[in-house]
Amino acid sequence: MRGIIRTVSVTSLIIAATLLAAGNLFARTLICNNNEDHFSKRCTIHPYAVTKVVDGNVVKGHLIGCQFKSYTCINGLCLDNYGPNQINYSLSMHDHPGFCDLLCRNPMCTDPLGWQ
């Protein structure tokens, strides 16, 4: 019985350490205050939530949701997860407001402070 408890404890610690070490597992929601509708004023970014193997290398990208759309952005290309749209980008992966400006355009954010 003690062996099972010890195994479960060690496994739990390994899982917790893995999740904490990842660092970028938390979604970030940005708001455009000028957009009136509850859904059009939100842009949620899940940093590095997408993993893909390209030519034997593991590449990570963002999952972005806004205005009833969902995009996967990886290696300079954002793909519409529910349609054929493809949008090129040259943003830093740390430019979260830039991704919202690029993808959340129905309606566009007209707030002078932008996505925050």
Side-chain angles (χ1 to χ4, degrees):
M1 184 68 164
R2 286 186 181 195
I4 292 172
I5 293 172
R6 180 175 289 149
T7 302
V8 170
S9 296
V10 169
T11 303
S12 297
L13 287 173
I14 290 171
I15 290 170
T18 302
L19 292 175
L20 291 173
N24 291 316
L25 295 177
F26 303 104
R28 179 176 181 204
T29 299
L30 289 94
I31 303 291
C32 178
N33 288 318
N34 276 7
N35 290 359
E36 295 177 14
D37 180 77
H38 172 77
F39 295 104
S40 69
K41 68 171 39 183
R42 285 173 169 54
C43 171
T44 302
I45 299 178
H46 301 268
Y48 304 105
V50 181
T51 304
K52 185 177 180 181
V53 177
V54 179
D55 297 327
N57 297 316
V58 175
V59 181
K60 292 188 161 278
H62 296 337
L63 177 63
I64 300 170
C66 62
Q67 302 166 339
F68 301 106
K69 291 238 177 224
S70 172
Y71 299 91
T72 297
C73 297
I74 195 165
N75 276 353
L77 186 66
C78 291
L79 302 173
D80 184 336
N81 290 330
Y82 301 106
N85 295 337
Q86 297 183 3
I87 301 168
N88 292 317
Y89 71 89
S90 59
L91 303 167
S92 161
M93 291 304 276
H94 301 289
D95 184 3
H96 296 170
F99 278 101
C100 293
D101 274 339
L102 178 69
L103 301 172
C104 305
R105 304 183 65 76
N106 186 20
M108 292 176 58
C109 181
T110 58
D111 189 320
L113 297 176
W115 293 96
Q116 44 182 324

